[in-house]
């Protein structure tokens, strides 16, 4: 078998929500190049699936030739449809209906979720045919060459039989020369280049907690797919506290992803609801610009909080060519007073009225400035100190609705919705301008429709303390309890403190602002063993003898040879000294000696795992493991999908470096010899 | 030799069709262990405890039973004597143990996924066979304690054959399997579990039933002793499980705990049995890090040659600190550390109160071994003493095996005493499962299986004839 090449390796990481895939290993490992939603849509034939929603649309011929719009967007180019149009299933087709003028058009809707089937639910494969067609879709999208080894990241809750089925299917369908199934948690530990880790993977509907000791996944006590502990649980929690305010699930999902939604460590005091006046901070500005709350302060703060810098939204009025054309005449020469012209035109009174109005506006502007200063002061507070925050979101609408709305445009404009977040410099929209604005609006609408048949309308609203409650349903407690349970069920008690010191939190559910910190804070508040439990004797010690450090104090230390003792396993010299009052003169050399002994002891421990005497309570410290620095692309993208990085590292090792010497993958020959069961011997 | 050469689908016999691995199921009072034969550790370890919601729904598995839901109560499918208490629930709990990690009965129809062309016959066949049967294609080896009643044995094969649809079945004694895992065909197996200590003499791979003795002075007894130690201490030691604490703060040793407690609205508290299970988790940690067996010589109640009582000697041994979930912490003196265990050896030293009467001396471990030896042939006693196997999670308490060794040497001064205790903790915890894994993967074991055909012909009674 010729050796595998970097550029041929196919990595697939199926998830409940998103499936990641990539063909070829780049020089420097990057986040997955292909990200697709893990959902398929039932095709016409039951048991078959399409990657995209296919809509049936019945139109009549005359209607079609009528307007300029309908054909335009029924055949609208779909941005990600191109790769899916593989030969096997023609996705868009037209079927003329014979003698009738009626036509059924099949169109793909790339954004619709209607009727979607999710093959993976809470990590488990719930619908096998759908799962397999998802794999096929990924495979066809990337269309790898023939000599492509495949590495699939296996979810922790896949059973042995699940793995066999995947193996059998991949070998028989893709005819791949080699397959490796790698445990998702193990992959994370590869990404962090650590031999031992506690991997906490917060997914969509579940979370997995896995201990990895010496590069081996701990099966005993592993918590795979704890239901109700993923990102969806947080969305649902937000929904339950906000549904009274008319929030939909989609809105809550957006709120969860917004930086104003934050999970505060337990015990943090919520900000008092002190500044109600800011809710309607600026009625004047509202009247003149249509931007309620002249959102400066709030928006600034969002950016300051590291929110994604937003370009002007689709509906935002920024210096726009259309607009310029129309307003040129009226506003360009503002500020230049051609008195003669004014007097001659006989519009003096009008002019004076305008002047008056400008003055008034300036006054309000000054007033605004004062208010804004107050707002800015408020804005400098971190998000967690603010009782309320502005929440900008996008509402998804069918273009049809918008078209309808456009026909009744004035009604929409006067609806009082904060549809447009006009930058303040956008200035003085008068009622005379509405018509022009409507026209502009329509023109832009058309352009948008040409791009996409779906419209996102940008809106904003104010959210109070509910935004801190995403995790208030006890999800942190459940995860923390599970972490404690999983680490304590690691048989080798002396490895547990390493595991507490190398916790890795990954998974897209953990992106929610403050989640990781809050989880660590929960663990610390509930489980950390404080170091002073052993300091009971320190008062009897000479004052220049340092208090025991947290890690060493609870661990028995080897007996120093000259101390007689009945206890075979050794004793902490400190405690011994305190109890027998025969302490050798303390000093740095003594401590060094202790350190040496301690190291020796640790080495001994590693040789004799059965030495139960090492038992001491854990955790004496809880730490998150830092991600490696040498993957610049990943540093930017965040390590939430670190499993994919680990998969790339592992693929490089098992397929290219190792070439199967240490059975990192199953070759086709092996498959033919032993069948799918052989995967348990070969996978990682 | 890439793709083309190997495109031909493999023959069924090329697959090694009969090498589909068997499942090994080893139920115990604390956990049930399940996994594929031939592996070195059970993939699926599920607590035998299950939770019941007020609506009588049963919830299985570690992920769910530790959540303090309103009015949740905890029960165990096993009874204190190590046999099955509730067969219906036990069957579904074991099924959960098997299907959650090993096999899966949630598959869709593979024949409809567009792959059902000629070369995928085997997928279709598999599909048809296991639509609803969780163990449809794997043989199943189950373990049982040496004193299992005949009706329980028949029930086991009924569950396996009728509800799980296993093609072949065998019921093995866990004592025998533990001796296999130690690599011995003949041994005296001392299995210290959660609910029972059992002594099983094994000869030529067969259990000598008349020599099987057991006593309840095992892991749970030690837990009760610790509870008594806490409640009789001055001042009493508070035992508050983790689920009641929302945060703790560091306090000085022995000082009052300063923790923020969690409050459950009235009517939403879990059942007291939930608290008991959660307390046991804390006690397990306590056993791991504090409890130790008195290292000898003699018993803790005895004297050393120079006239000092051993309890006084123990005072000079080091204590060990322990911190409770609520932050309360203390260094437990060596005498207390030894005391929790001593009742296992010396009934007089057991802590007692009204609800926990003193055990009888004949239940203590050394006396138990003597009883067992006295009921087997005299000529194999020396051999058994030379091949003692200590297994079970309860045996992991610090210093326990060396204490047994010392006491046995003192009790049988003329015999050669050798104790085998597996070095790795995993091997000690899952001794009988590992033995089952070895046994079921042996080629020569194939003739021992009770096949479905035999079961249908002879009925459940065949288990008495075949599985001696």
């Amino acid at each position: 078998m010729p050796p595998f090449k970097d550029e041929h390796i196919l990595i697939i990481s199926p998830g409940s929500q998103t499936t990641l895939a990539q063909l070829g290993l780049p020089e420097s490992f990057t986040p997955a190049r292909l990200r697709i939603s893990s959902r398929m849509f039932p095709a016409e034939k039951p048991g078959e699936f399409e990657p995209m929603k296919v809509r049936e649309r019945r139109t009549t011929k005359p209607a079609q030739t009528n307007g300029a719009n309908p054909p335009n967007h029924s055949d609208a180019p779909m941005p990600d449809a191109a790769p899916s149009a593989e030969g096997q299933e023609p996705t868009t087709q037209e079927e003329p209906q014979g003698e009738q003028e009626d036509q059924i058009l099949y169109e793909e809707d790339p954004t619709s979720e209607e009727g979607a089937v999710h093959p993976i639910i809470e990590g488990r494969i719930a619908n096998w045919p759908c799962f397999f067609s998802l794999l096929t879709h990924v495979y066809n999208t990337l269309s790898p060459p023939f000599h492509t080894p495949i590495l699939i990241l296996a979810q922790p809750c896949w059973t042995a039989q699940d793995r066999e089925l995947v193996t059998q299917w991949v070998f028989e369908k893709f005819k791949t020369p080699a397959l490796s199934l790698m445990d998702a948690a193990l992959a994370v530990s590869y990404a962090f280049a650590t031999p031992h880790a506690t991997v906490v993977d917060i997914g969509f509907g579940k979370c997995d907690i896995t201990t990895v000791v010496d590069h081996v996944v701990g099966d005993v006590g592993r918590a795979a797919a704890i239901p109700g502990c993923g990102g969806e649980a947080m969305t649902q929690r937000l929904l339950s506290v906000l549904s009274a305010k008319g929030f939909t699930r989609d809105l809550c999902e957006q709120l969860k992803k917004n930086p104003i939604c934050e999970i505060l460590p337990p015990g943090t005091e919520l900000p008092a609801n002190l500044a109600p006046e800011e809710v309607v901070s600026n009625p004047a500005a509202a009247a003149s610009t249509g931007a309620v709350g002249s959102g400066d302060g709030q928006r600034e703060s969002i950016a300051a909080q590291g929110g994604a810098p937003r370009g002007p939204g689709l509906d935002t009025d920024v210096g726009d060519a259309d607009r310029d054309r129309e307003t040129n005449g009226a506003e360009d020469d503002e500020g230049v007073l051609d008195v003669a012209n004014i007097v001659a035109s006989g519009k003096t009174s009008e002019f004076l009225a305008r002047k008056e109005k400008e003055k008034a506006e300036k006054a309000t502007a000054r007033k605004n400035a004062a208010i804004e200063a107050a707002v800015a002061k408020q804005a400098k507070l971190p998000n967690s100190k603010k009782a309320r925050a502005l929440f900008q979101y996008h509402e998804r609408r069918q273009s049809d609705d918008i078209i309808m709305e456009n026909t009744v445009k004035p009604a929409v404009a006067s609806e009082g919705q904060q549809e447009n977040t006009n930058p303040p410099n956008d200035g003085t929209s008068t009622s005379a301008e509405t018509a022009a604005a409507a026209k502009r609006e329509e023109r832009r609408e058309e352009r948008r429709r040409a791009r996409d048949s779906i419209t996102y309308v940008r809106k904003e609203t104010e959210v109070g303390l509910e935004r801190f409650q995403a995790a208030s349903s006890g999800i942190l407690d459940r995860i923390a309890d599970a972490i404690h349970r999983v680490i304590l069920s690691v048989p080798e008690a002396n490895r547990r403190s390493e595991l507490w010191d190398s916790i890795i939190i990954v998974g897209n559910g953990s992106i929610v602002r403050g989640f990781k910190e809050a989880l660590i804070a929960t663990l610390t508040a509930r489980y950390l063993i404080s170091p002073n439990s052993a300091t009971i004797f320190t008062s009897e010690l000479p004052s220049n003898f340092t208090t025991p450090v947290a890690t060493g104090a609870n661990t028995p230390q080897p007996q120093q040879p000259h101390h007689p003792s009945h206890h075979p396993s050794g004793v902490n010299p400190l405690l011994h000294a305190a109890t027998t009052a025969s302490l050798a003169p303390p000093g740095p050399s003594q401590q060094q000696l202790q350190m040496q002994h301690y190291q020796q002891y640790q080495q001994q421990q590693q040789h004799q795992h059965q030495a139960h005497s090492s038992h001491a309570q854990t955790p004496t410290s809880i730490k998150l493991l830092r991600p490696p620095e040498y993957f610049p692309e990943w540093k930017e993208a965040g390590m939430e999908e670190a499993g994919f990085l680990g998969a790339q590292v592992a693929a490089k090792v098992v397929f290219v470096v190792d070439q199967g010497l240490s059975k990192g993958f199953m070759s086709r020959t092996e498959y033919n010899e032993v069948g799918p069961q052989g995967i348990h011997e070969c996978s990682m | 030799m890439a793709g083309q050469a190997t495109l031909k689908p493999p023959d069924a016999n090329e697959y090694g069709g009969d090498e589909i691995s068997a499942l090994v199921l080893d139920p115990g009072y604390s956990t049930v262990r399940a996994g594929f034969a031939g592996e070195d550790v059970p993939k699926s370890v599920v607590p035998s405890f299950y939770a019941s919601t007020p609506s009588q729904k049963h919830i299985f598995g570690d992920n769910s039973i530790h959540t303090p839901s309103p009015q949740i109560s905890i029960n165990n499918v096993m009874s204190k004597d190590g046999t099955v208490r509730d067969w219906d629930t036990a069957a579904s709990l074991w099924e959960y143990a098997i299907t959650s990690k090993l096999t899966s009965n949630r598959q869709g129809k593979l024949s409809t996924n567009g792959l059902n062309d000629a070369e995928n016959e085997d997928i279709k066949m598999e599909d048809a066979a296991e639509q609803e049967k969780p163990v449809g294609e794997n043989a199943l080896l189950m373990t049982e304690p040496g004193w299992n009643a005949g009706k329980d044995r028949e029930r086991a094969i009924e569950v396996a054959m009728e509800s799980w649809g296993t093609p072949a079945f065998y019921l093995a004694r866990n004592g025998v399997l533990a001796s296999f895992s130690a690599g011995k065909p003949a041994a005296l197996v001392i299995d210290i579990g959660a609910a029972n200590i059992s002594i099983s003499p094994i000869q030529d791979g067969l259990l000598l039933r008349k020599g099987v003795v057991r006593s309840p002075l095992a892991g749970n007894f030690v837990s009760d002793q610790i509870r008594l130690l806490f409640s009789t201490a001055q001042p009493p030691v508070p035992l508050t499980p983790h689920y009641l604490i929302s945060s703790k703060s560091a306090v000085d040793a022995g000082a009052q705990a300063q923790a923020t407690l969690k409050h459950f609205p009235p009517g939403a508290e879990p059942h007291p049995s939930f608290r008991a299970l959660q307390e046991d988790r804390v006690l397990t940690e306590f056993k791991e890090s504090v409890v130790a067996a008195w290292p000898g010589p003699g018993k803790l109640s005895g004297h050393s040659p120079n006239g000092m009582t051993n309890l006084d000697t123990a005072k000079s041994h080091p204590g060990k600190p322990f911190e409770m979930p609520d932050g309360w912490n203390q260094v437990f003196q060596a005498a207390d550390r030894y005391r929790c265990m001593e009742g296992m050896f010396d009934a007089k030293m057991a802590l007692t109160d009204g609800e926990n009467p003193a055990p009888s001396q004949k239940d203590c471990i050394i006396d138990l071994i003597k009883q067992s030896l006295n009921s087997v042939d005299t000529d194999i006693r020396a051999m058994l003493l030379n091949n003692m196997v200590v297994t079970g999670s309860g045996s992991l308490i610090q210093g326990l095996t060396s204490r047994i060794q010392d006491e046995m040497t003192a009790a049988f001064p003329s015999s050669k005493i050798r104790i085998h205790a597996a070095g790795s903790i995993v091997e000690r915890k899952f001794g009988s499962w590992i033995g089952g894994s070895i046994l079921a993967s042996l080629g020569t074991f194939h003739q021992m299986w009770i096949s479905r055909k035999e079961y249908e012909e002879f009925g459940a009674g065949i288990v008495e004839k075949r599985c001696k």
Side-chain angles (χ1 to χ4, degrees):
Chain A
M1 190 158 52
F4 298 116
K5 291 192 185 127
D6 278 4
E7 61 267 30
H8 289 166
I9 294 172
L10 175 62
I11 301 172
I12 305 176
S13 159
S16 309
Q17 279 295 290
T18 315
T19 293
L20 308 175
Q22 181 164 315
L23 177 64
L25 298 177
E27 197 63 33
S28 166
F29 294 145
T30 55
R33 296 216 188 98
L34 178 69
R35 295 174 59 96
I36 57 169
S37 269
S38 302
R39 53 169 181 43
M40 301 294 272
F41 298 92
E44 259 184 305
K45 209 169 139 199
E48 287 185 10
F49 293 88
E50 303 275 358
M52 241 167 269
K53 174 76 187 166
V54 177
R55 250 177 228 293
E56 216 173 81
R57 179 182 280 260
R58 198 173 283 268
T59 48
T60 44
K61 266 255 159 77
Q64 207 181 10
T65 46
N66 250 357
N69 289 345
N72 193 13
H73 69 89
S74 64
D75 289 338
M78 285 139 295
D80 23 0
S84 71
E86 72 269 347
Q88 165 193 2
E89 293 152 332
T91 41
T92 310
Q93 49 179 328
E94 301 192 11
E95 282 179 13
Q97 288 274 308
E99 61 274 2
Q100 276 191 354
E101 287 289 75
D102 274 3
Q103 255 194 348
I104 296 180
L105 290 179
Y106 291 96
E107 60 171 12
E108 286 192 341
D109 182 346
T111 49
S112 173
E113 286 283 330
E114 190 191 336
V117 179
H118 289 263
I120 306 177
I121 293 171
E122 287 177 359
R124 295 180 196 281
I125 301 171
N127 187 331
W128 282 90
C130 186
F131 176 72
F132 287 146
S133 40
L134 177 72
L135 282 188
T136 315
H137 173 53
V138 169
Y139 191 84
N140 291 340
T141 306
L142 292 170
S143 63
F146 195 69
H147 193 57
T148 287
I150 300 179
L151 185 139
I152 295 180
L153 278 187
Q155 289 287 324
C157 59
W158 288 5
T159 65
Q161 206 176 51
D162 291 345
R163 286 162 161 258
E164 287 167 22
L165 275 173
V166 171
T167 307
Q168 179 168 11
W169 194 84
V170 167
F171 272 112
E172 308 209 347
K173 175 74 182 174
F174 295 155
K175 318 280 185 217
T176 182
L179 169 75
S180 180
L181 285 183
M182 186 181 195
D183 192 286
L186 185 66
V188 173
S189 79
Y190 269 56
F192 279 69
T194 172
H196 40 253
T198 306
V199 180
V200 182
D201 187 345
I202 314 286
F204 176 70
K206 55 103 176 98
C207 101
D208 301 309
I209 298 160
T210 313
T211 53
V212 178
V213 176
D214 292 337
H215 293 297
V216 175
V217 170
D219 273 316
V220 177
R222 175 181 210 182
I226 308 171
C229 285
E232 175 64 10
M234 290 186 255
T235 308
Q236 289 301 336
R237 177 67 190 164
L238 284 176
L239 182 59
S240 70
V241 294
L242 281 166
S243 56
K245 299 196 173 177
F247 273 56
T248 59
R249 189 199 162 277
D250 181 50
L251 265 192
C252 291
E253 182 73 24
Q254 287 188 42
L255 175 61
K256 186 184 77 180
K257 291 174 180 160
N258 196 299
I260 64 163
C261 173
E262 189 172 353
I263 295 170
L264 303 177
T268 313
E269 226 162 271
L270 288 176
N273 208 347
L274 38 79
E277 70 269 20
E278 259 132 52
V279 180
V280 265
S281 66
N282 197 347
S288 64
T289 64
V292 168
S294 77
D296 255 0
Q298 281 95 337
R299 256 183 291 129
E300 209 172 77
S301 71
I302 286 166
Q305 289 153 12
R310 279 182 241 266
L314 286 171
D315 270 273
T316 319
D317 279 341
V318 276
D320 188 330
D322 306 330
R323 179 208 150 79
D324 288 347
R325 242 178 290 136
E326 261 134 348
T327 51
N328 258 352
E331 279 162 75
D332 263 6
D333 44 7
E334 196 180 26
V336 181
L337 281 188
D338 189 347
V339 180
N341 194 8
I342 293 164
V343 175
S345 68
K347 287 180 179 169
T348 334
S349 61
E350 270 172 45
F351 171 75
L352 284 180
R354 213 174 88 197
K355 268 285 155 194
E356 212 39 34
K357 202 174 138 216
E358 267 171 23
K359 223 186 264 172
E361 263 167 23
K362 263 179 204 154
T364 43
R366 234 172 286 134
K367 221 187 285 166
N368 287 357
I371 294 170
E372 266 165 26
V375 171
K377 197 173 154 203
Q378 181 79 6
K380 273 183 200 133
L381 289 173
N383 178 45
S384 57
K385 292 273 172 16
K386 282 190 288 189
R388 310 188 67 81
L390 202 63
F391 167 44
Q392 298 181 321
Y393 60 95
H394 293 100
E395 203 175 64
R396 181 178 185 275
R397 291 209 203 153
Q398 288 292 331
S399 52
D400 305 10
D401 305 345
I402 301 252
I403 297 165
M404 262 165 52
E405 267 177 32
N406 278 346
T407 59
V408 283
K409 188 66 198 176
V412 174
S414 63
E415 216 174 4
Q417 294 263 33
Q418 307 103 25
E419 279 226 0
N420 294 341
T421 59
N422 293 349
N425 66 348
D426 205 20
T428 56
S429 66
T430 58
S431 61
E433 239 188 324
T434 2
K439 243 188 247 165
R440 278 206 304 278
E441 191 63 13
E442 224 153 337
R443 222 174 296 157
R444 218 173 305 137
E445 203 72 81
E446 259 169 54
R447 277 207 304 269
R448 199 180 308 134
R449 247 180 277 128
R451 279 200 304 274
D452 190 346
S453 59
I454 298 300
T455 312
Y456 289 95
V457 182
R458 190 192 230 201
K459 293 188 170 184
E460 48 181 56
T461 184
E462 193 91 44
V463 187
L465 297 178
E466 294 90 351
R467 68 188 200 277
F468 299 125
Q469 305 206 341
S472 58
S473 57
I475 163 173
L476 286 176
D477 282 343
R478 288 190 65 186
I479 298 175
D481 177 66
I483 293 175
H484 183 246
R485 189 183 75 230
V486 170
I487 296 185
L488 256 62
S489 59
V490 169
E492 298 91 358
N494 50 336
R495 310 305 296 273
R496 291 178 191 162
S497 58
E498 294 169 44
L499 294 170
W500 280 110
D501 281 343
S502 43
I503 295 179
I504 304 175
I505 304 176
V506 293
N508 285 327
S510 68
I511 296 182
V512 182
R513 191 168 179 220
F515 181 87
K516 293 177 189 170
E517 293 77 4
L519 182 55
I520 293 298
T522 309
L523 283 173
T524 309
R526 295 186 56 174
Y527 299 112
L528 190 70
I529 304 297
S530 54
N532 67 348
S533 61
T535 56
I536 178 168
F537 296 118
T538 44
S539 58
E540 298 168 24
L541 291 171
S543 58
N544 61 344
F545 201 93
T546 51
T547 44
V549 284
T551 44
N554 289 348
T555 319
Q557 306 232 333
Q559 186 64 54
Q560 286 170 26
H562 56 275
H563 281 298
S565 166
H566 300 283
H567 201 272
S569 73
V571 44
N572 184 343
L574 200 61
L575 290 176
H576 194 90
T579 43
T580 58
S582 66
L583 184 71
S589 58
Q590 174 80 5
Q591 288 189 3
Q592 274 170 8
L593 196 69
Q594 282 182 19
M595 274 315 288
Q596 280 171 9
H597 276 287
Y598 183 62
Q599 280 160 2
Q600 280 170 9
Y601 179 72
Q602 292 231 309
Q603 282 160 6
Q604 282 171 14
Q605 282 302 309
Q606 287 177 358
H607 289 302
Q608 32 172 294
H609 288 277
Q610 77 275 22
H612 233 252
S613 59
S614 71
H615 272 158
Q617 264 183 296
T618 56
T620 47
S621 69
I622 300 172
K623 286 182 207 138
L624 276 180
L625 202 65
R626 292 176 62 83
E629 303 277 329
Y630 38 85
F631 296 109
E633 286 89 351
W634 281 92
K635 224 171 137 190
E636 268 166 42
M639 294 298 278
E640 276 75 22
E641 288 167 357
F644 201 81
L645 170 59
Q648 295 179 59
V649 175
K652 176 88 179 174
V653 173
V654 301
F655 291 128
V656 180
V657 179
D658 182 66
Q659 297 275 355
L661 281 179
S662 39
K663 292 207 142 199
F665 62 84
M666 188 185 202
S667 71
R668 186 154 183 93
T669 333
E670 281 169 299
Y671 174 75
N672 287 347
E673 275 165 18
V674 293
Q677 268 107 29
I679 195 70
H680 304 307
E681 307 296 315
C682 303
S683 57
M684 309 180 66
Chain B
M1 48 171 279
Q4 287 102 331
T6 55
L7 274 182
K8 189 175 66 75
D11 292 330
N13 54 1
E14 227 175 296
Y15 263 31
D18 60 343
E19 278 175 27
I20 287 178
S21 40
L23 285 167
V24 179
L25 183 74
D26 177 24
Y29 183 83
S30 171
T31 56
V32 50
R33 284 77 62 176
F36 287 107
E39 293 182 349
D40 52 2
V41 56
K43 277 257 179 331
S44 176
V45 179
V46 173
S48 293
F49 293 94
Y50 63 93
S52 306
T53 60
S55 56
Q56 293 306 312
K57 203 176 146 246
H58 296 328
I59 306 170
F60 306 124
D62 263 327
N63 286 348
S64 316
I65 65 170
H66 299 301
T67 311
S69 323
Q71 297 182 354
I72 194 169
S73 64
I74 301 290
N75 291 297
N76 197 321
V77 296
M78 305 295 278
S79 66
K80 296 253 173 195
D81 63 2
T83 55
V84 179
R85 184 180 62 84
D86 174 354
W87 266 101
D88 291 336
T89 320
S92 30
L93 188 139
W94 297 341
E95 191 178 324
Y96 169 85
I98 292 172
T99 53
S100 64
K101 291 258 178 74
L102 309 172
T103 70
S104 148
N105 56 353
R106 287 176 303 275
Q107 295 157 34
K109 283 196 190 309
L110 289 165
S111 46
T112 54
N113 64 4
L115 275 177
N116 49 350
D117 38 61
E119 61 180 54
N120 283 70
E121 295 291 339
D122 42 329
I123 299 191
K124 267 197 295 182
M125 270 153 36
E126 236 171 61
D127 179 42
E130 63 189 288
Q131 268 309 304
E132 69 280 346
K133 304 286 188 189
V135 203
E137 62 172 16
N138 306 84
L140 178 71
L141 175 80
M142 243 180 96
T143 70
E144 58 168 353
W147 55 91
N148 208 9
K151 65 171 175 35
D152 281 336
R153 311 186 77 195
E154 292 184 6
R155 191 71 192 268
I157 191 170
E158 278 168 24
V159 166
M161 287 289 180
E162 308 284 345
S163 23
W164 295 347
T166 182
F169 181 80
Y170 192 79
L171 199 58
R173 312 282 185 177
N174 50 23
V176 176
L177 298 180
S179 76
F180 284 165
S181 77
K184 294 176 190 294
L188 186 70
V189 176
I190 303 160
D191 185 348
I192 306 175
N196 284 290
I197 297 179
S198 66
I199 316 288
S200 321
I202 315 288
Q203 192 184 18
D204 299 333
L206 286 175
L207 180 73
L208 304 174
R209 287 196 65 178
K210 55 185 186 296
V212 177
V213 286
R214 67 192 164 97
S215 99
L217 304 187
N220 293 348
F221 167 75
V222 178
S223 299
D224 289 340
Q225 291 284 298
I226 300 170
R227 281 198 173 90
L228 283 172
L229 177 75
F230 288 171
S231 60
T232 54
Q234 283 307 327
V237 176
L239 176 57
T240 319
H242 279 292
Y243 81 97
L244 287 168
I245 311 290
S246 67
S247 71
K248 64 178 180 184
S249 42
V251 292
D252 281 341
Q256 183 92 32
Q258 308 219 323
T260 325
L261 292 184
K262 227 176 250 168
H263 292 287
F264 294 92
E269 308 100 339
H271 189 263
S273 58
F274 180 82
R275 179 174 177 139
L277 178 70
Q278 298 303 315
E279 283 180 1
D280 281 345
R281 288 172 70 189
V282 179
L283 296 180
T284 302
E285 208 184 343
F286 188 83
K287 281 191 241 179
E288 282 179 341
S289 44
V290 177
V291 175
W294 159 251
K299 293 185 183 339
L300 185 58
S301 56
H303 293 269
S304 64
N306 57 18
M308 245 167 98
T309 65
N310 283 341
L311 267 175
D312 284 339
T313 315
K315 288 205 174 93
S316 66
H317 288 191
K320 272 207 176 185
F322 188 80
E323 182 170 322
M324 287 289 173
D326 58 1
W328 184 95
N329 65 85
Q330 181 65 282
V331 173
F332 284 85
Q333 297 305 322
D336 290 338
R337 296 173 55 203
Y338 302 144
R339 189 71 191 266
C340 308
M341 271 300 296
E342 195 61 18
M344 206 186 257
F345 292 94
D346 186 355
K348 290 195 302 293
M349 288 298 279
L351 299 159
T352 56
D353 70 354
E355 287 165 35
N356 296 281
S360 66
Q361 183 63 36
K362 71 174 177 45
D363 280 344
C364 293
I365 189 161
I366 302 301
D367 300 78
L368 216 55
I369 296 174
K370 285 181 191 162
Q371 286 169 45
S372 174
L373 287 171
N374 286 336
S375 48
V376 299
D377 281 354
T378 36
D379 43 348
I380 63 166
R381 276 180 205 162
M383 183 271 295
L384 290 178
L385 282 172
N386 199 21
N387 288 290
M388 294 178 28
V389 173
V390 174
T391 185
S393 302
S395 69
L396 288 169
I397 284 173
Q398 192 188 327
L400 183 62
T401 42
S402 57
R403 172 77 184 272
I404 296 176
Q405 168 97 44
D406 292 349
E407 295 240 345
M408 286 302 290
T409 316
F412 298 89
S414 55
S415 308
K416 195 175 168 211
I417 310 283
R418 239 184 36 213
I419 291 190
H420 176 279
S424 107
I425 293 164
V426 172
E427 278 177 40
R428 194 95 70 89
K429 271 180 136 169
F430 305 128
S432 54
W433 185 90
I434 292 171
S437 170
I438 295 171
L439 182 65
S441 59
L442 289 178
T444 46
F445 183 69
H446 276 256
Q447 56 193 350
M448 300 294 288
W449 290 111
I450 300 171
S451 73
R452 167 166 291 276
K453 214 170 140 198
E454 286 170 296
Y455 169 75
E456 277 157 6
E457 194 175 337
F458 300 104
I462 190 169
V463 76
E464 286 291 339
K465 293 196 200 82
R466 186 71 63 84
C467 312
K468 290 270 165 38

